[in-house]
Structure formats: C-alpha cells, structure tokens
Amino acid sequence: MEGLKMADTELMVYIHPSKCGNEFSAVCRELSSLLFQYDETLDGVLLAFDFTMKSKGAKVLAGLNPYFGVKVESKLLLFNPKPNSRVEGKIVKISPESVHVIVLGFSAAIITDVDIREEFKYTMRNGEGCFVSTSHKRHVLKVGTMLRLQVQSFDEEVMHIAGSLLPVDTGCVKWLEKQSEEALRSVDLEDHKRRKIT
Amino acid sequence: MHSTGKGISASRSTPNWLKTTALELDVFQSKKYYIDAELRDTACVSDIREALASAKSEDTHKYTELVQILNPQNKSHVDVVAQQETLLKFLSRSVAFLDAAHHEELLIRILGMKIWDHPPNVVYALLELIISLATTRGKYLNCCLEMLIFNLLSQPHILNKKMREAPSWVHSALHKISYLVPPAPSQILYILVKRMPNIYNKGHGLVTYVDASLKLENSSIGKVVGDRILRVIMLRLLDLDVEIERDDIPQDDSTLGLFDMELEVACPVQSLNQNYSKVSELLDKLMVLSFEHLESCQNAGRLDEVFEILFDLFENLILTTCKPKFPQFLLFYACSLDPEDCGVKFASKLLDIFLSSNKDRVTRTNAVDYLASYLSRGKFLHASFVASILKRLVDECADYCRTYNVGASSGHLVFYSGCQAIMYVLCFRMRSILDVPRFQLLLTPLESVLSHKLNPLKECNPYVVSEFLKQAKAGGLFFVSEAFIFGDLPESETSRAFGGFFSFYPCLFKISNSFISPNFIYWSMVKRTHDEDEAFAEVIVYGDTDNDEDYDDDPVLDNDVKRMSITPKQSFMRDTWRLSKMPSRIRPSTSPSQSLLFKCFRNMCFEFSS
C-alpha cells in the first residue's frame, strides 16, 4: 500500500515543570496528542511513534512559562496519500451511487459512481448491493471486501480520501493478486516452452 | 408551475421527476399498472443532476425550481410536501454533484431545515440526504453534523405523536455517519461542547442538552468520546451545585449536635430564594437524567466501564472541590446498582488514595471523609466488607502511631482524619460490627490508637467522638473511661478543619431522592447500641448481622414528619421483651480484657436459657 512512510526525526519536546522526573510519560503524552491528526511539519498523519531520549540534560525555556525542552529521537509512521497513489481499505457500504471504504481504520474513502469504471455494474445479490464486473464474473465488490483504489485527493482536515476505481489495477485486492499470480505463472510457462524449443 | 388538488398540472417547465411523481401518486392510488421502479429512479436521478448542472450554465431555471421546492413558506401544502420528500430522496443520490460555489442557496436551504417543522416522511428523506452529504463530501461533514446537533438540541418540549421517534432518527443519523467516517465522533464532541447552553440558561434547554449528550454517550459514539461527554456534564453539575446553598441548615447553632442536625434539617432542599428554587429544580432533573442513564448503562452491560470514567472524574473534579452536595451521588447510585463490583471498587479506590503517601494531605483527608460517609450510608454494603475496610484504616492509624514524626510540619491531619472516619463509620455500624466477634477482633488495635498520646479523641469532631464513645461503652467495644463521656467537648482547631461529614449528606431533591433513598441509611434508621428503654438497659440482643432487615425498610423521605426519637423499632422491642422474661439478667461488663470473653459467655447464656 502506498502513502505510508517511516520518518526518522529529531524533536524538541517542551514539557511542563510538574512532569520533571517523569519525562518519558510526558513525551509519550505529547506525541500521543498528535496521533491521527494531519501535521504540516511532519507532512502526514501520525499513526505511530517510537522514541528515545537523546540527552540526559534539558534546557529550560526562557519566558513566563518555564517549560523545559527535551531532545528526542523518534521514528514516526506517517500517512499521506498523494494523488494517483494506491491505497487499500475495507468496503463498509455500497449504494448505486457510491462505495464507502475505511482505510487503515481511521480514514474514510469514497468512490462515487462516476469514478467507477464501466466494467462494474451495480446489482443486488442475497439482498445486498454489490458491484460485479461484467468481464470477470468472479470480480465482485461487496461489503467486507478489501478494495484497492486510486487516490484522487486527500482532505487533511477530516482525513477524507476521494478515490477512483477507473484504473484497471484497482478493485478487489484478493482478485487482483490472484490475477497477477496467474499472469506470472503463465509467463513462466511461456518462458519454459520457449527454452524447450530452443 | 402550479399545483392542483390531486397532483401537479403538467407544464412545459415541469421537470420529468416531478411529473413522474404525480404519475406515481396516481398509479399508487389506481393500482392499475406496474412501473419499472429502477428505470424511473434512474431517470429521476439524471434529471436532478441535470438541474444541478444548470446552475453552472446561463439558463438556471431548472436549478431555481429545485430551490423553490425547499422554500420554507411552502411547508404545509400536501403536494409541496410530496415534492420536498422526492427532491430530498433523489438529491441524496446526487450529492457528488453538489458544489458549494454554484449551489450555495440550495445547500443553505437544506442545512437550514428544521426537522420539527416538517412531517416525518420529509424528515426521513432529509436525514438520508444529510448522511449522504456528510459521508460523501468531506468538506460538508462539519456543517452536516452541526445541522443534526442543532436540531437535536432545539427539540420542542412537547412532541406530537408522529414526531416522537424523530430524536432517535437523528441519533441514528449521527451513528451512521460515525460508522462511515471514523473521525466524526471527535467532531461531534467539539460541536456539542460548543453548543452547551451557557451557565445563565436555567431553562429546559440544558435538560434537553444533557439528555441528548447522555444518549450519545451510551452509543457507538460514546466508545470514542464518552469520557469527555461525561466530563462536560459533570462540570456543569458542579457549577449548578455551587449555586445552591443549604439555607435551612443553621450553620452556627452549636446547641445542635452533628447527628441531630440530620434529623432537624428539612429535606429536600428548599430555599426562599426564587432563583435557587429554579436551580434546584433544574439540578433535580439533571440528576434524574443521570441516574436513568446509569440504569441504561447497566442494562447495556457497561456500568463498570462508565464507573471507571465517573471515578476518574470524581478524583479530578469532586474530590478536589470544596464540599459539593450532589454530584457525588452519581457514584453512590452506580455503586448501589452493582454493589459487588462498583460498590467494592469505590471504597477500595478511596482507601488507596488515603493510603497513598504520594498524594497531598488534603486529597487524602477528603478521600477518607468520602469513604467514611459512603461506608456509613451505603445500605447495600455488607458488614463484613465494612469491617475489612475499617480494619485497614485501623491498621494504618496504628502504623502511624508507631512510626510518626513528632515534629511533622503537616501536623497529623491525615492521622486524625483517619481516626475520625473510623469513629464516624462505627457510629452508624457499631451494632453490626459488635454482633460478629470476628469483626470486632479486626478492630483490636483501635483502642490503643484512640488512647495514644496524639490524642485523636480531643482533635476529632466532638459530636462524632461523643456519639462514638457512648455507643462504644454501651456496646462494650472496649473499656471506655468515664472522663470521656458526656463532657463538654470543645471544638479543637483540627476538628474545625474537617468541617463535618457532608459528603453523602442526605439532602437531595424530591425526584432524585427517590432513586437514592432505598439504598441510603439515614441517621434515624440507625439502631445504636445504647438505644434501649430503661427496663432493658442491661440487655443486648444479638440479632442477624448481615441481615438488611435490621434496618428500617421504610426510607425516610420527609424529615418534617420523621423527626424521630431514638426509641427502638417494634421488632426490636418484641425481641427484648421476650428475652427480658428469661430468668437470667446480665449486666454488660466494663472490664476491657474480658470484653470479648464476656460477650461469648453472654451468648452462651442466652442460648442456654432460651
């Protein structure tokens, strides 16, 4: 899945004097307050972090609020899907006009009917709506399916992805992987035949 | 375009979806032929999209017609209602085509609709549209949530029959949006906090707000932001609590003892001040809502989860506030609903705070104050549990006596508050503790603690000490010197610092009191060890120890009527009369070393003679 990156960062975390003696939990708390929010400086949504205190000493910030700054080296997991990248998520709702997907459990993605390729037609199966491919009957998109979609835009404020199923490499992840495996196998078979002939 | 009685007359400018609607009405009524619903819907959707697209072109009349349908002036006409419903239904399938730049007026009309002004079918279609808009277009999420919450909070006081389910539809819409858009609950909380009625608003608005917020707490949204919703509500309860004063409690009447005051005080809280009665009424309603919420949490199987949140709020807000009168009853009620789990946890956590040397002394003294009041008042608490907690308090005080620092800068406030707590609980529970010898054994170090040179009997609240000593002597808890009894005990500075036990003081409001009183021990219900008539002064009856029937089943609701004396109850009278007929008459021993042995001997004599 694209859009995820690991960043090694050096941070200066300013802590309230009352937390002196318990800096580790104070830094944890500060970094936790950034979780699942888009940060411009970090250029992404912070999903997870791991850190170590770099130095034993700390510098007290001059001014009215005597916070002290602690240097921290951290590994940050960031999410920032760029346009035209591919992300994967689980389908939670299907209607004739839209497919709703949740990516990584926190980001909502939506694919409207104009962004679903002609190949897929909406139909009812077992009382539930789903999109079935007209060229490959086994390629079905229904509630619970893991879907690979192309990112058109990402609204950082509400972490909303506008997606598209127009490219051919988008669709049900399971089905796509099966197809690529079969394609690889048929390529190997071709190579083997060619070698045999020669 | 104009409407007739039955349908809409077709005109050149009438869009297909409107003509189709009229046809559908005719079809439904005549039931003559079948319409391909899917084809019809698809055609309608494409018409709507075309009308929306027309807003970007020069000829905007189709778009203008759409906007006119949602004109607030037209709401009552039957045809218009049908049109509105259809428009909203098909708009929800075209939200991707809505554009804030070109469709501003339409969006303003949609988001400005008040659900209470429309019939249920229109409301239903509107909510579907809002859900669709919020979940499809990220930038409209906030305004859709604002619209839903605004409607929820502006719910009329009285709803007509058709609209009674409407609040639950709005809640359902919020849940659906939260399910499809995971960050939505945080936004909902932000909007809720922003829309809280201000502190000067004492009207029904706050009741509606708290009711709606508590319903959200007990839902999937509450799983994410429930603790913060409860915090906001608790803060408001505390704000209102501060505005209520105990006008009828004579603060400086030194002739009335602490326990007599409880019998004297009129309850529920009354006040001559008009403003206070408004606040009292409001706070009463909010407390009732909170109690009902706890009941529904219990039914949903999540009372222990809510209790943890409530206790955190209690520790951060109530414990540190100077003597609030009512919000702590939320915890009392939660404990009464689940005595085995929450009831035990509450006492244990308070005890942990008291025993924790990391906490400051004010927090520790407040915690033991609440603990004492809780153990005394909780009817649902078994004597064995109370005894086990008392044992730990006694052991802690005994440890302190052994290891204390004479010149401690903080004084010995924590120690004295511990002693006072033990004595206070024993004022209420002396009889049930003495009835079981092993309970009394647990409190053996108490005698040495109270007679220590730190002199807690002098430093603690004189009324509590006096009552405790009376009962201890009558019950034979341990040897009590005559010098301590009935003396004119002056209030020391230390005892004045405690302020008295008003933590779970029985001073609730009319309606909320009915939730608490079945589980609350009032002072007038307590059978004290010296509660005997002259003729039976020398007989102590050993009844059941953990039996709740010992206490009066009839809770005291109106203290004006129940200004009771301390004469024993009828069942007790019958027992004592029967036993007094026996040949042997036994006098209580005042010898300390023989006190336990003496009791065993006395037990045996009763069994022998009966």
Side-chain angles (χ1 to χ4, degrees):
Chain A
M1 188 168 112
E2 295 160 33
L4 285 169
K5 64 179 179 193
M6 224 28 189
D8 289 318
T9 54
E10 267 184 23
L11 303 170
M12 180 70 93
V13 182
Y14 293 101
I15 305 172
H16 191 272
S18 64
K19 305 285 182 245
C20 177
N22 211 0
E23 296 86 12
F24 186 82
S25 66
V27 171
C28 272
R29 198 189 155 92
E30 286 300 323
L31 289 175
S32 299
S33 68
L34 298 174
L35 283 173
F36 297 110
Q37 287 173 55
Y38 180 81
D39 191 283
E40 217 172 301
T41 323
L42 298 172
D43 188 33
V45 178
L46 181 62
L47 298 184
F49 61 86
D50 187 22
F51 69 91
T52 47
M53 306 283 224
K54 203 176 169 190
S55 61
K56 289 224 162 132
K59 199 169 176 186
V60 176
L61 198 65
L64 287 171
N65 297 314
Y67 277 51
F68 61 97
V70 176
K71 261 194 189 157
V72 158
E73 262 178 8
S74 57
K75 277 192 181 341
L76 306 176
L77 179 64
L78 298 163
F79 178 66
N80 192 2
K82 302 281 184 224
N84 299 326
S85 62
R86 305 285 187 268
V87 294
E88 288 166 20
K90 196 193 263 196
I91 298 178
V92 286
K93 185 184 170 190
I94 290 196
S95 69
E97 298 80 34
S98 59
V99 175
H100 296 257
V101 176
I102 305 272
V103 174
L104 293 174
F106 76 94
S107 177
I110 184 86
I111 304 141
T112 52
D113 51 357
V114 294
D115 293 316
I116 300 175
R117 56 186 185 271
E118 287 296 322
E119 181 193 334
F120 288 106
K121 294 284 175 227
Y122 180 81
T123 180
M124 294 289 282
R125 267 194 196 179
N126 303 326
E128 274 185 27
C130 57
F131 278 91
V132 183
S133 166
T134 46
S135 38
H136 308 278
K137 292 289 174 203
R138 292 247 168 123
H139 194 176
V140 176
L141 310 178
K142 57 183 186 193
V143 171
T145 305
M146 283 302 285
L147 187 76
R148 182 177 296 147
L149 55 130
Q150 181 191 46
V151 175
Q152 285 186 320
S153 66
F154 179 55
D155 186 333
E156 293 132 1
E157 207 183 299
V158 288
M159 289 178 292
H160 201 270
I161 297 173
S164 162
L165 283 176
L166 293 171
V168 288
D169 64 337
T170 56
C172 171
V173 170
K174 233 185 201 174
W175 188 88
L176 290 168
E177 280 174 356
K178 209 171 163 186
Q179 286 300 104
S180 63
E181 267 173 32
E182 278 175 13
L184 267 171
R185 240 182 276 136
S186 63
V187 163
D188 281 341
L189 210 61
E190 290 271 333
D191 272 344
H192 184 74
K193 276 185 191 166
R194 220 177 286 125
R195 270 189 240 117
K196 224 178 170 182
I197 290 165
T198 52
Chain B
M1 186 171 67
H2 63 277
S3 31
T4 58
K6 217 180 175 185
I8 301 154
S9 68
S11 72
R12 267 188 210 167
S13 60
T14 313
N16 283 329
W17 65 273
L18 279 177
K19 285 187 235 169
T20 318
T21 309
L23 185 59
E24 185 194 15
L25 283 172
D26 282 332
V27 164
F28 183 74
Q29 284 160 10
S30 67
K31 293 180 190 172
K32 278 184 186 167
Y33 49 91
Y34 167 77
I35 289 180
D36 187 350
E38 204 182 306
L39 279 175
R40 179 211 64 200
D41 285 356
T42 314
C44 291
V45 168
S46 67
D47 278 345
I48 295 278
R49 293 182 184 186
E50 202 183 301
L52 290 174
S54 74
K56 300 177 192 175
S57 66
E58 282 173 10
D59 181 14
T60 60
H61 79 275
K62 283 187 183 173
Y63 170 69
T64 315
E65 276 178 3
L66 281 189
V67 175
Q68 279 308 308
I69 304 283
L70 295 180
N71 190 339
Q73 315 300 326
N74 297 341
K75 51 194 170 198
S76 51
H77 202 286
V78 168
D79 290 334
V80 174
V81 166
Q83 287 172 18
Q84 284 178 342
E85 183 190 348
T86 315
L87 171 61
L88 294 169
K89 183 177 147 193
F90 289 116
L91 263 180
S92 68
R93 295 173 64 172
S94 313
V95 287
F97 292 80
L98 280 169
D99 174 10
H102 297 101
H103 305 124
E104 189 184 346
E105 210 181 330
L106 182 63
L107 282 166
I108 288 172
R109 292 262 172 110
I110 292 169
L111 293 170
M113 282 176 81
K114 292 184 186 151
I115 67 174
W116 315 108
D117 294 343
H118 296 276
N121 47 342
V122 172
V123 170
Y124 208 76
L126 172 64
L127 291 175
E128 289 297 317
L129 170 58
I130 295 290
I131 294 169
S132 188
L133 191 58
T135 55
T136 308
R137 306 291 299 279
K139 61 181 181 177
Y140 300 125
L141 175 69
N142 285 349
C143 38
C144 289
L145 292 175
E146 290 256 12
M147 182 264 187
L148 289 174
I149 291 173
F150 169 76
N151 274 285
L152 203 57
L153 299 182
S154 61
Q155 170 184 335
H157 196 25
I158 299 162
L159 286 170
N160 66 46
K161 217 196 240 180
K162 284 187 202 170
M163 291 299 279
R164 227 165 264 172
E165 295 299 311
S168 62
W169 300 339
V170 180
H171 277 283
S172 169
L174 288 169
H175 297 151
K176 282 181 190 166
I177 295 173
S178 300
Y179 177 68
L180 295 173
V181 184
S186 311
Q187 274 307 116
I188 290 170
L189 175 74
Y190 172 74
I191 297 166
L192 259 185
V193 171
K194 206 171 61 164
R195 289 202 169 265
M196 187 179 215
N198 73 45
I199 187 66
Y200 304 107
N201 180 341
K202 304 284 194 293
H204 189 73
L206 185 60
V207 178
T208 312
Y209 178 89
V210 170
D211 188 28
S213 304
L214 288 175
K215 285 200 172 76
L216 286 173
E217 196 280 327
N218 197 15
S219 71
S220 54
I221 294 167
K223 281 194 176 64
V224 184
V225 292
D227 54 340
R228 282 164 280 175
I229 291 176
L230 287 177
R231 183 187 170 89
V232 158
I233 294 171
M234 183 67 85
L235 282 168
R236 182 49 62 91
L237 288 178
L238 280 168
D239 286 339
L240 291 170
D241 184 285
V242 163
E243 292 191 35
I244 299 195
E245 290 172 12
R246 294 184 197 276
D247 287 340
D248 358 50
I249 298 175
Q251 301 287 345
D252 296 317
D253 189 347
S254 53
T255 59
L256 273 182
L258 177 72
F259 299 100
D260 296 333
M261 266 204 278
E262 184 177 325
L263 299 175
E264 290 284 336
V265 161
C267 181
V269 170
Q270 289 162 10
S271 175
L272 299 170
N273 191 319
Q274 276 260 315
N275 187 42
Y276 287 152
S277 62
K278 226 197 288 182
V279 175
S280 310
E281 211 180 292
L282 177 63
L283 196 46
D284 191 13
K285 285 183 192 159
L286 297 183
M287 292 292 287
V288 168
L289 280 176
S290 308
F291 292 150
E292 285 169 352
H293 174 70
L294 288 173
E295 282 171 1
S296 60
C297 289
Q298 191 192 31
N299 294 337
R302 52 182 294 266
L303 183 64
D304 53 342
E305 180 191 313
V306 173
F307 175 81
E308 294 293 331
I309 300 170
L310 278 179
F311 189 83
D312 281 340
L313 291 172
F314 171 84
E315 200 179 343
N316 293 321
L317 302 175
I318 299 180
L319 202 58
T320 51
T321 306
C322 186
K323 306 290 187 239
K325 298 168 278 295
F326 310 107
Q328 59 266 36
F329 280 97
L330 288 183
L331 280 119
F332 188 93
Y333 191 63
C335 293
S336 71
L337 289 174
D338 185 9
E340 306 295 320
D341 188 18
C342 301
V344 165
K345 250 194 268 186
F346 185 51
S348 309
K349 283 177 188 269
L350 284 173
L351 183 66
D352 288 342
I353 296 173
F354 173 66
L355 297 176
S356 160
S357 50
N358 293 335
K359 309 265 184 206
D360 64 282
R361 63 186 181 137
V362 173
T363 307
R364 292 173 73 184
T365 52
N366 284 348
V368 82
D369 175 6
Y370 276 100
L371 177 62
S373 193
Y374 173 65
L375 293 175
S376 312
R377 302 294 190 169
K379 212 186 212 181
F380 45 87
L381 294 171
H382 287 294
S384 54
F385 177 69
V386 173
S388 66
I389 300 286
L390 281 177
K391 175 193 175 346
R392 293 191 62 189
L393 285 174
V394 168
D395 288 346
E396 175 68 13
C397 292
D399 278 341
Y400 188 86
C401 288
R402 277 193 292 274
T403 58
Y404 78 102
N405 181 3
V406 176
S409 55
S410 59
H412 308 286
L413 200 64
V414 175
F415 168 72
Y416 291 134
S417 64
C419 294
Q420 186 165 270
I422 297 164
M423 287 192 280
Y424 185 79
V425 175
L426 286 171
C427 288
F428 282 80
R429 302 270 192 173
M430 181 78 76
R431 200 180 268 280
S432 55
I433 296 291
L434 294 182
D435 283 352
V436 181
R438 65 183 167 88
F439 292 166
Q440 194 185 353
L441 267 175
L442 297 174
L443 306 180
T444 322
L446 182 61
E447 197 174 339
S448 57
V449 166
L450 294 179
S451 47
H452 191 264
K453 60 182 171 182
L454 280 171
N455 208 351
L457 293 179
K458 188 172 160 226
E459 300 297 333
C460 296
N461 186 298
Y463 300 112
V464 174
V465 171
S466 157
E467 178 62 34
F468 167 76
L469 290 175
K470 268 190 232 166
Q471 291 207 40
K473 187 187 179 196
L477 180 62
F478 44 71
F479 172 71
V480 174
S481 157
E482 287 290 344
F484 284 121
I485 305 294
F486 311 122
D488 210 1
L489 298 163
E491 240 184 303
S492 70
E493 250 184 63
T494 323
S495 69
R496 233 175 275 126
F498 295 140
F501 292 96
F502 295 100
S503 314
F504 289 106
Y505 201 79
C507 213
L508 277 186
F509 304 106
K510 275 198 183 104
I511 312 170
S512 45
N513 197 32
S514 60
F515 287 82
I516 296 292
S517 56
N519 299 299
F520 195 84
I521 299 174
Y522 294 85
W523 180 243
S524 52
M525 292 154 67
V526 173
K527 286 185 187 145
R528 300 180 289 177
T529 51
H530 56 85
D531 273 353
E532 284 127 6
D533 234 337
E534 284 304 307
F536 314 121
E538 291 155 339
V539 173
I540 291 178
V541 178
Y542 288 95
D544 292 325
T545 50
D546 291 357
N547 191 352
D548 279 311
E549 286 166 7
D550 270 349
Y551 293 111
D552 191 4
D553 287 326
D554 196 16
V556 177
L557 288 172
D558 186 351
N559 273 0
D560 281 339
V561 174
K562 307 282 183 203
R563 214 174 272 189
M564 295 168 66
S565 67
I566 54 167
T567 45
K569 300 293 166 215
Q570 231 179 359
S571 56
F572 175 63
M573 288 289 289
R574 264 204 309 274
D575 282 339
T576 51
W577 177 256
R578 178 173 62 83
L579 289 163
S580 72
K581 293 285 180 195
M582 291 181 228
S584 44
R585 279 180 63 159
I586 298 158
R587 290 178 192 187
S589 159
T590 53
S591 159
S593 55
Q594 288 173 16
S595 55
L596 178 61
L597 290 172
F598 175 76
K599 280 190 189 313
C600 295
F601 175 70
R602 210 160 38 182
N603 255 337
M604 285 159 52
C605 283
F606 274 132
E607 283 165 15
F608 180 73
S609 53
S610 57

